[in-house]
Each structure stands twice: as C-alpha cells, then as structure tokens.
Amino acid sequence: MNNFSYERLHSNLQYLKLNTIEELLDNYLEIAARDSKTTMEVLDYLFEQEKKRREAAAIERRMKTAAFPVKKTLEEFDFEFQLSIDKKVIKDLATLRFVHNAENVVLLGPPGVGKSHLAIALGIEAVKAGISVYFTNTGNLIERLKLANREGTLEKKLRNLMKYKMLIVDEIGYLPFDEEGAHCLFQLISRRYEKCSTILTSNKSYGEWGEIFQDQVIAAAVLDRILHHSTTINIKGESYRLKERKKQGIKMGNMYQ
C-alpha cells in the first residue's frame, strides 16, 4: 500500500466515522500479513469489531436513558428462595414477546420479595435487545405529571413517556394518590393501552387499588386497561432483606457463643 492510499484510507474511515476500524487497522493488517489472512477475513473482522463497539455504545446510552436505580439481572435472581414464582413464566417474559405485543406485566407482593429486581431485570433484557426503556418510582412520576398538569404541559409530558416501548412504574400503593394524581396516571395508562408495554410493581392486591386511587371508579378503569393484555406475577415469599438480616443475626449470634 503506497502512502497516498494509506492516508486516503484513514481519511475516509474518519469521514465515515468508522473509528473502531481506523483504530484497529494498522495493527490488524500486520497480523493479517503474518497469518496470511484473506481480504475477506480482514474485512469481516474489522467490520465485526466496529459493529460490536457500536452495539455496546448503544446499549450504554439506552441504559443511561432507562435510569435504573440499580443494576439487577435475571441471572442474579434467587428463584430457589422465591418458590411462588414460576420460572417458566419469567423465562417467557424474557423473550420480550410481551413488549412486541404491547402487553403489560404486573408484579404483586409484599416489600422485599424481588418485584423491583424482576422489573429491572426485564428492563435490562429489553435494553440489550434494542428496546427503549424508562424506569420511574410511582411517587416521582405522579409529582412530575401533576406539575406538568398545573403548567399546562401534561399533553407534552404524556407524549414524551409514550416514546418508551417499555415503561416501568415501581411501587404503586406505598402512598395513596390524590384526585389530581389519580387522574394523571389514568391519562398515562390510557395513552399506553394497546400501544406500549408497562411493567408495574405493587405491594397491594388488585382489590386494594381503590384505596390507592381513593376512587373505585378510576381504579377499575385503570385496572381494566392494564389487565386486558397482561401477565400478573403474585409473589408470596419472604423478604430478601429479612433473609439477609436473619443471616446477619445468626452470624452475630455465633460471635457471642
């Protein structure tokens, strides 16, 4: 390769923003010459590395946008501890077919049983698959929707939340909604109905959602839209946090024996 071709190649790689190929090119050409690699093998390797680097960068961007409070994966979930969960159901959800079908997932159970863990883990699977995800705590979501409603920008806020193919709404039921908050959440659920997937976690059974919304009619309307196309996972096990505290208690107890 003469100097003109070499310089033009690097210039074109920069122009096309094939930064990974440019970074690897010189060293890999030496390796290719040493190992007698074909032109096809060289091109295949370089473009594969470019693709992998771009995919990793895209995943990183989607993870940042998703705003997960912590990173939790399905591999880390202790199904042996929570025997009330059908692992086959979770495995099926991990295929993300429910997202492509604009269906919902609701995780019910007392605090600490792994609802948020599973919701985040499914969200991470979606991020890796190229799906847009956003995680939010219910209290924060309601306050932002109410603020937008008062400022006359609720429509814009709802459109913004519709951009996400998967929306995770965590901890419904820990605090009741006032009338304005219930109205705003109803608007959001109605917009996403049969268009995008929503994962919700709650420490309250469906029969108690009237108390959360402080309005049986709105609660029924919300549940009607959520449950029409949905999977409910009711976790009845013990709290992971309580389990860890018990372990610590045993360890501390052994220290004084």
Side-chain angles (χ1 to χ4, degrees), residues 20-21 24 42-55:
T20 300
I21 292 179
L24 298 175
V42 171
L43 291 173
D44 177 60
Y45 174 81
L46 291 173
F47 278 97
E48 181 66 15
Q49 298 312 304
E50 183 74 40
K51 186 189 76 168
K52 286 181 178 179
R53 186 78 64 87
R54 292 191 180 198
E55 285 177 343

Side-chain angles (χ1 to χ4, degrees), residues 79-121:
F79 288 96
E80 296 300 319
F81 182 70
Q82 295 297 12
L83 296 176
S84 64
I85 299 175
D86 187 341
K87 193 173 181 179
K88 291 180 181 178
V89 173
I90 303 301
K91 188 175 180 180
D92 181 68
L93 291 173
T95 67
L96 303 174
R97 183 167 52 248
F98 77 95
V99 181
H100 298 294
N101 293 335
E103 297 170 354
N104 303 317
V105 176
V106 185
L107 297 147
L108 302 177
V113 295
K115 303 184 300 296
S116 298
H117 183 146
L118 287 173
I120 291 170

Side-chain angles (χ1 to χ4, degrees), residues 23-90:
E23 177 188 327
L24 298 175
L25 181 65
D26 293 353
N27 184 55
Y28 195 69
L29 285 177
E30 290 181 13
I31 294 171
R34 185 194 66 200
D35 297 344
S36 301
K37 292 185 179 294
T38 66
T39 302
M40 185 66 71
E41 288 175 322
V42 171
L43 291 173
D44 177 60
Y45 174 81
L46 291 173
F47 278 97
E48 181 66 15
Q49 298 312 304
E50 183 74 40
K51 186 189 76 168
K52 286 181 178 179
R53 186 78 64 87
R54 292 191 180 198
E55 285 177 343
I59 288 173
E60 187 176 346
R61 288 194 299 272
R62 288 194 297 274
M63 285 289 288
K64 186 175 181 180
T65 300
F68 298 120
V70 292
K71 185 178 179 180
K72 297 285 187 179
T73 66
L74 289 177
E75 290 75 20
E76 295 169 334
F77 193 84
D78 188 355
F79 288 96
E80 296 300 319
F81 182 70
Q82 295 297 12
L83 296 176
S84 64
I85 299 175
D86 187 341
K87 193 173 181 179
K88 291 180 181 178
V89 173
I90 303 301

Side-chain angles (χ1 to χ4, degrees), residues 156-253:
K156 181 180 178 181
K157 187 67 176 177
L158 293 174
R159 283 201 306 269
N160 181 61
L161 290 169
M162 284 296 293
K163 293 189 303 185
Y164 303 105
K165 297 299 292 182
M166 178 190 289
L167 176 67
I168 302 174
V169 182
D170 196 34
E171 297 185 338
I172 287 183
Y174 286 83
L175 293 172
F177 308 144
D178 59 17
E179 183 178 353
E180 183 184 19
H183 167 76
C184 289
L185 186 59
F186 171 75
Q187 292 295 319
L188 175 61
I189 296 299
S190 295
R191 289 294 185 89
R192 294 183 64 82
Y193 175 59
E194 294 188 325
K195 294 183 179 68
C196 307
S197 291
T198 305
I199 297 180
L200 305 103
T201 76
S202 179
N203 65 326
K204 302 290 188 182
S205 67
Y206 292 136
E208 298 174 288
W209 280 38
E211 299 172 15
I212 301 172
F213 286 85
Q214 301 190 72
D215 187 313
Q216 295 291 342
V217 175
I218 292 182
V222 169
L223 283 171
D224 181 60
R225 287 159 177 76
I226 291 172
L227 299 180
H228 185 204
H229 308 290
S230 71
T231 299
T232 297
I233 299 170
N234 203 335
I235 308 175
K236 300 177 181 178
E238 189 178 2
S239 165
Y240 280 103
R241 291 187 284 271
L242 182 59
K243 171 190 172 186
E244 292 303 315
R245 283 198 294 269
K246 285 182 177 179
K247 280 184 179 179
Q248 291 300 319
I250 292 171
K251 289 178 182 178
M252 294 297 292

